[in-house]
């Protein structure tokens, strides 16, 4: 079967015998001898393995975590590692130079990852403020230098507009990606149409469907699992589309968080803030809302928001498409209504109507790059000071993301006031019996969920301590 082709620091690579689910990190270090890319955590948390890619069909450089990508996902892409920045004449790239002059490194283990994250930032075309620098570095950990000197280096380097010193970028963009690849007894399918994807799904109903791989990648990276067949979804154009009409957004299941963010933050600002807190840029550049729904975690961040917004999923299988309300999709812990021969095609998210407001709050131990303990999402319709409708959903409070029906009932028809909000909050104990685990006790979850109602009230009333509460 066909080989996997990509450029690596400007050189064409064609691989025909590498396992499709070997991690890109292992491939770079062990097969390509590029040991500048480091392995720290092997689970997407530390940024030591950051590389930069122009993915198949994309036109921008993005930082990604090599430990969670598999070799199959490199097909058709342009890949740049830290070694690729200094190829020309041994001159340091401006990010590298700034790290040196600003004393941004001590032990140096994390440094290549920082350089690559900042290199992607420098080429992103963004206006580089301190906030943007912090966002770009939220996925990179340094334990010894301290961030001040690294942020200084970022300010210096990113004030210089991007000079692309990568060879043959245009050529690499035209590299065709293969539909199928086999090596070491493993099959890797990367269909390009939805019909072809469904056909593979029907043929191999037990094969993992790989999207960004920011959940599934752990099976390859940490658990070293080798599946006989893997089906990749992100080469299917229909699944990458985001469409907007007067009343809704339809987000393809394989569209990344980075791609969806501009649409979401323009309509539901607080949902946009939440998305910016999912993992890090490296995670959001490949991770998808479709994957967040598909993994059916009770603490996934987007499902409570999407349920509160009354979103509808389109599932597609061999007999065509069907629609299901997202709240009905989650049946039990990690159990969904998806049939074995179906895929999630897209999620349709209604826009806010007259008098509707939406807020979501994520409670986690750290602001960035942390899994939620509890997440609350609220869509209220307010007319003349009365709550005429309420859709409220929580994550981290049950085996599935779930609506707070009792709280909704308590609030609906009430005059908008702190008293009404506190009464609605009291109903939380009837709606949920959360679990106790290492992340949070049941009592804490109940308490914090109830307190989110008060925060909602203060937020809508313009209290100035709500931002502080967000931290
Ligand atoms: C460092 C790190 C930080 C993270 N932080 C957060 C966080 O803050 N909040 C949060 O919610 N999550 C977080 N995650 C989890 C993960 O990033 C998200 O769940 C993400 O949305 C998964 O999307 P993906 O495309 O990478 O999914 P994948 O890993 O590719 O797939 C996830 C699951 O969805 C299924 N799936 C994918 N596409 C489809 C489809 N079209 N149809 C049917 N099933 C499908 C897959 O088969 C798999 O079971 C984090 C992960 C990491 C590694
Ligand atoms: S090795 Fe830590 S993020 Fe990849
Ligand atoms: S320089 Fe980053 S961990 Fe030491």
């Amino acid at each position: 079967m066909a080989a996997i082709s990509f450029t690596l620091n400007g050189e064409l690579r064609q691989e025909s015998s590498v396992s499709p689910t070997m991690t890109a990190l292992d491939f770079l270090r062990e097969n390509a001898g590029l040991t500048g890319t480091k392995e720290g955590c092997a689970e997407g948390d530390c940024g030591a393995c950051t590389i930069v890619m122009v993915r198949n069909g994309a036109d921008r450089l993005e930082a990604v975590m090599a430990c969670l990508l598999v070799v199959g996902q490199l097909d058709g892409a342009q890949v740049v590692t830290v070694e690729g920045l200094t190829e020309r004449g041994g001159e340091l790239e401006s990010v590298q130079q700034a790290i040196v002059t600003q004393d941004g490194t001590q032990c140096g283990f994390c440094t290549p990852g920082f350089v690559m994250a900042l290199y992607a930032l420098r080429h992103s075309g963004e206006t580089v403020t301190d906030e943007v620098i912090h966002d770009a570095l939220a996925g990179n950990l340094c334990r010894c230098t301290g961030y001040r000197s690294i942020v200084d280096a970022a300010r210096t380097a990113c004030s210089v507009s991007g000079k692309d010193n990568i060879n043959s970028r245009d050529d690499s963009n035209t590299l065709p990606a293969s539909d199928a690849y086999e090596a070491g007894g493993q099959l890797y399918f990367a269909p390009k149409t939805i019909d072809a994807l469904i056909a593979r799904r029907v043929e191999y109903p037990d094969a993992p469907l790989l999207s960004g791989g920011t959940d599934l990648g752990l099976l390859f990276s940490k658990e070293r699992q080798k599946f006989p067949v893997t089906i990749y979804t992100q080469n299917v154009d229909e699944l990458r589309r985001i469409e907007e009409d007067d009343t809704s957004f339809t987000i393809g299941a394989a569209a990344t968080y980075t791609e969806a963010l501009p649409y979401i933050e323009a309509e539901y600002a607080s949902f946009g803030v939440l998305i910016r807190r999912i993992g890090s840029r490296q995670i959001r550049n490949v991770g998808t809302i479709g994957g967040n729904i598909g993994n059916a975690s009770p603490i996934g961040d987007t499902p409570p928001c999407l349920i509160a917004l009354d979103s509808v999923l389109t599932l597609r299988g061999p007999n065509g498409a069907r629609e299901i309300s997202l709240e009905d999709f989650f049946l039990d812990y990690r159990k969904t209504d998806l049939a074995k021969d179906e895929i999630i095609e897209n999620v349709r998210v209604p826009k806010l109507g007259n008098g509707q407001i939406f807020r979501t709050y994520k409670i986690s131990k750290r602001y960035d790059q942390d899994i939620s303990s509890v997440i609350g999402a609220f869509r209220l319709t307010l007319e003349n000071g009365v709550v005429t409708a309420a859709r409220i959903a929580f994550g981290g409070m049950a085996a599935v993301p779930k609506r707070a029906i009792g709280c909704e009932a308590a609030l609906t028809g009430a005059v908008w006031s702190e008293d009404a909000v506190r009464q609605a909050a009291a109903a939380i104990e009837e709606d949920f019996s959360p679990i106790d685990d290492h992340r949070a006790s049941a009592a804490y979850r109940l308490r914090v969920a109830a307190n989110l109602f008060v925060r909602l009230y203060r937020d809508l009333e313009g209290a100035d301590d709500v931002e502080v509460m967000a931290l």
Side-chain angles (χ1 to χ4, degrees):
M1 274 194 186
I4 281 176
S5 312
F6 54 96
T7 61
L8 180 53
N9 298 330
E11 306 264 310
L12 178 66
R13 301 274 310 207
Q14 289 192 300
E15 304 293 337
S16 54
S17 58
V18 179
S19 155
T21 61
M22 177 182 211
T23 68
L25 178 61
D26 284 348
F27 171 81
L28 291 171
R29 293 180 58 84
E30 290 165 22
N31 294 31
L34 296 174
T35 52
T37 307
K38 305 298 183 203
E39 175 164 348
C41 62
E43 55 185 36
D45 275 315
C46 75
C49 67
T50 304
I51 57 170
V52 164
M53 266 173 80
V54 181
R55 293 203 295 159
N56 179 252
D59 59 0
R60 59 169 183 261
L61 285 168
E62 291 178 320
V64 295
M65 303 297 195
C67 65
L68 293 182
L69 274 187
V70 295
V71 166
Q73 287 169 287
L74 303 183
D75 198 19
Q78 178 186 22
V79 179
V80 185
T81 67
V82 71
E83 291 86 351
L85 304 192
T86 50
E87 262 183 333
R88 286 193 178 168
E91 219 181 284
L92 289 186
E93 205 277 340
S94 41
V95 170
Q96 293 171 307
Q97 188 59 53
I99 292 272
V100 173
T101 47
Q102 300 289 344
D103 297 321
T105 186
Q106 204 168 38
C107 81
F109 191 82
C110 66
T111 308
F114 274 98
V115 166
M116 297 313 286
L118 290 178
Y119 180 77
L121 173 62
R122 198 164 92 72
H123 287 269
S124 67
E126 283 167 271
T127 306
V128 178
T129 59
D130 277 5
E131 197 184 351
V132 170
I133 292 173
H134 288 292
D135 186 54
L137 295 182
N140 293 76
L141 290 182
C142 175
R143 296 163 190 84
C144 51
T145 300
Y147 287 87
R148 190 195 47 76
S149 53
I150 297 173
V151 171
D152 284 346
R155 288 192 193 111
T156 313
C158 298
S159 64
V160 181
S161 71
K163 168 173 76 76
D164 197 344
N165 65 350
I166 305 161
N167 299 325
S168 60
R169 163 107 81 103
D170 293 340
D171 294 348
S172 73
N173 270 342
T174 61
L175 279 181
S178 308
D179 292 351
Y181 170 73
E182 183 177 14
Q186 286 181 279
L187 277 164
Y188 183 87
F189 293 112
K192 294 182 184 128
T193 64
I194 200 150
D195 289 343
L197 175 65
I198 302 293
R200 293 301 184 196
R201 189 85 196 121
V202 170
E203 205 179 344
Y204 299 103
D206 293 321
L209 270 184
L210 173 68
S211 210
T214 60
D215 283 316
L216 269 187
L218 292 173
L219 301 182
F220 307 123
S221 179
K222 267 272 146 89
E223 297 182 21
R224 306 267 161 197
Q225 286 192 32
K226 285 197 166 188
F227 295 94
V229 183
T230 305
I231 305 172
Y232 180 54
T233 66
Q234 285 192 318
N235 286 358
V236 178
D237 276 348
E238 296 105 306
L239 293 192
R240 296 293 294 272
R241 276 188 212 136
I242 301 174
E243 285 165 356
E244 177 178 3
D245 62 24
D246 289 347
T247 57
S248 62
F249 299 99
T250 302
I251 302 172
T256 65
Y257 287 116
T258 302
E259 288 160 348
L261 180 60
Y263 297 87
I264 289 177
E265 69 185 352
E267 179 71 12
Y268 332 92
S270 105
F271 195 178
V273 172
L274 174 88
I275 293 210
R276 286 184 185 280
R277 292 179 60 192
I278 293 184
S280 57
R281 281 192 177 196
Q282 290 94 321
I283 297 297
R284 297 191 296 272
N285 284 338
V286 287
T288 63
I289 293 181
N292 208 220
I293 295 169
N295 92 8
S297 161
I299 47 170
D301 279 337
T302 65
C305 300
L306 296 169
I307 290 173
L309 289 168
D310 205 3
S311 304
V312 174
L313 283 185
T314 302
L315 310 178
R316 186 175 285 275
N319 301 320
R322 68 180 171 110
E323 292 196 340
I324 181 169
S325 161
L326 182 59
E327 65 171 313
D328 297 332
F329 179 70
F330 300 110
L331 302 177
D332 204 341
Y333 181 72
R334 302 255 183 201
K335 199 164 169 277
T336 70
D337 194 52
L338 191 74
K340 283 190 103 174
D341 56 3
E342 285 182 320
I343 58 134
I344 303 168
E345 182 173 348
N346 59 50
V347 56
R348 191 173 69 247
V349 196
K351 290 184 174 177
L352 297 176
N354 281 346
Q356 282 188 338
I357 57 102
F358 176 79
R359 290 290 190 282
T360 181
Y361 308 104
K362 167 171 172 167
I363 304 298
S364 56
K365 290 185 179 157
R366 285 177 314 203
Y367 184 77
D368 286 309
Q369 178 89 307
D370 202 3
I371 306 276
S372 300
S373 306
V374 171
I375 175 157
F378 306 81
R379 189 185 73 178
L380 304 183
T381 312
L382 291 167
E383 287 171 35
N384 302 320
V386 174
V387 183
T388 54
R391 271 185 80 92
I392 300 168
F394 281 89
M397 295 291 288
V400 291
K402 195 167 159 262
R403 271 173 79 186
I405 300 289
C407 301
E408 289 177 2
L411 211 46
T412 305
V415 172
W416 176 246
S417 64
E418 188 163 347
D419 262 4
V421 163
R422 286 188 185 277
Q423 275 180 24
I428 201 92
E429 297 197 18
E430 291 152 35
D431 281 334
F432 298 105
S433 322
I435 52 155
D436 260 309
D437 69 8
H438 63 280
R439 230 168 240 123
S441 66
Y444 173 82
R445 288 176 199 272
L446 283 170
R447 178 81 180 267
V448 87
N451 285 348
L452 289 184
F453 283 82
V454 181
R455 179 150 150 200
L456 171 74
Y457 181 76
R458 297 183 62 76
D459 191 355
L460 296 189
E461 293 302 299
D464 55 13
D465 58 355
V466 174
E467 268 309 299
V468 178
M469 291 161 103
L471 298 170

